Amino acid sequence: MKEDHFKSTTLDDSASIYQPRQKQTEKQKFSEMTFKEKVSYFNDYYRLKTIVFVAIAVGIIYLAYTILNPGPKTVLHVTSINSSIDMETAEILEANFSDYLNLDKDKENVFIDTTLYLSNEDAMNEMTMASEQKLTVLFYSGEIDIFIAPEAEFARYANSGFFSKLSDQLTTEMCSYFGDSFYYTQTEEDPAKGAYGIYLKDSILYDKTGQPMENPVLGIAVNSKYTENAVDFIRYIFELTK
């Protein structure tokens, strides 16, 4: 009796539980899913990989395009602080001075940045802090050639040694011409006073009907990459002949 019961309750070797399950391929699984299941499956398993792949692909394409199709090289970078030059004037000046240098505008350009703001009254102002950080990077990387700012802001950078002594950059004739327009100061490294800036009151940039900032001063960055163009810029805005 016990033996019969054992036989009746024992699964046959051919029962489905003993049958090896055939592993479905991803393609088979996907083909059997409903549209909604397919969307869910894709989101769960492939969306992140796809996003990463697309991001990498776009990055590679952009890098390749930049290398193969470089934009015009900036051969003079002017940074104008506190709207000492308005944007419209800056654009006109970029175009006119490019013509003055006879640049091939497809390959070279002049850039005048009018977006930075500094204030001694509120050193913790977010705009001032962001501008100072950007200026530090630009100066130390040698990107700035000409710096224009109100006298108070110019003085801080001049005293810290950010500008070239103009007697080392300008011709004897130019130094003689600017005698009364030079901004004189001393630096942390050189206690002897020297001409490190030029007041813009007699330049074409100075609006005699009302300047938006007080006593704008121009200087040449000590590590300018395009000093000759910087000197030519000074000639241009003061309408001096070469």
Side-chain angles (χ1 to χ4, degrees):
M1 186 73 177
K2 290 181 179 180
E3 186 177 346
D4 292 340
H5 177 74
F6 179 78
K7 288 182 179 179
S8 64
T9 57
T10 302
L11 292 172
D12 187 87
D13 288 342
S14 62
S16 62
I17 193 172
Y18 292 111
Q19 297 300 316
R21 296 184 178 179
Q22 293 184 347
K23 189 174 181 179
Q24 286 184 305
T25 65
E26 292 292 317
K27 185 176 181 181
Q28 289 173 327
K29 286 182 182 179
F30 202 71
S31 65
E32 295 175 1
M33 293 179 185
T34 64
F35 176 77
K36 186 175 181 180
E37 289 173 334
K38 288 177 180 179
V39 172
S40 178
Y41 184 79
F42 175 83
N43 287 336
D44 290 341
Y45 294 97
Y46 294 105
R47 183 174 60 178
L48 181 59
K49 293 179 181 178
T50 302
I51 291 173
V52 172
F53 175 80
V54 170
I56 293 173
V58 170
I60 292 173
I61 293 171
Y62 176 77
L63 181 61
Y65 179 83
T66 302
I67 293 172
L68 297 174
N69 300 278
K73 177 174 68 173
T74 298
V75 297
L76 185 74
H77 181 130
V78 179
T79 294
S80 176
I81 301 301
N82 296 12
S83 300
S84 46
I85 303 176
D86 63 72
M87 291 184 66
E88 183 179 355
T89 301
E91 290 176 0
I92 295 172
L93 188 57
E94 286 173 349
N96 291 346
F97 187 62
S98 294
D99 292 337
Y100 179 84
L101 293 178
N102 294 316
L103 300 182
D104 180 346
K105 295 180 183 179
D106 291 330
K107 298 179 179 179
E108 299 174 315
N109 72 351
V110 172
F111 175 57
I112 300 177
D113 185 358
T114 62
T115 63
L116 303 183
Y117 176 84
L118 298 175
S119 173
N120 281 330
E121 297 178 359
D122 185 4
M124 297 306 292
N125 179 285
E126 288 186 7
M127 186 177 294
T128 294
M129 291 177 65
S131 295
E132 287 183 341
Q133 290 172 357
K134 182 177 179 180
L135 277 173
T136 300
V137 172
L138 291 174
F139 270 123
Y140 280 106
S141 63
E143 295 300 315
I144 293 178
D145 300 298
I146 291 281
F147 182 80
I148 299 173
E151 183 177 1
E153 280 69 42
F154 186 90
R156 291 194 294 127
Y157 286 90
N159 295 339
S160 297
F162 280 81
F163 307 120
S164 291
K165 189 176 288 188
L166 293 177
S167 57
D168 296 335
Q169 304 296 342
L170 306 183
T171 65
T172 302
E173 292 78 9
M174 292 178 75
C175 287
S176 177
Y177 176 84
F178 289 119
D180 295 332
S181 299
F182 276 139
Y183 169 85
Y184 291 92
T185 189
Q186 58 191 48
T187 69
E188 295 174 353
E189 295 184 357
D190 187 356
K193 277 195 173 183
Y196 288 93
I198 304 173
Y199 290 100
L200 294 182
K201 62 182 180 180
D202 295 320
S203 75
I204 62 174
L205 298 181
Y206 193 83
D207 180 5
K208 295 178 175 59
T209 63
Q211 189 72 6
M213 28 69 82
E214 185 178 357
N215 293 333
V217 186
L218 173 153
I220 298 177
V222 70
N223 58 348
S224 165
K225 296 176 182 176
Y226 299 98
T227 305
E228 290 185 9
N229 290 341
V231 173
D232 279 340
F233 183 80
I234 293 172
R235 284 196 182 96
Y236 180 77
I237 63 175
F238 283 93
E239 299 179 296
L240 302 177
T241 57
K242 289 189 178 182

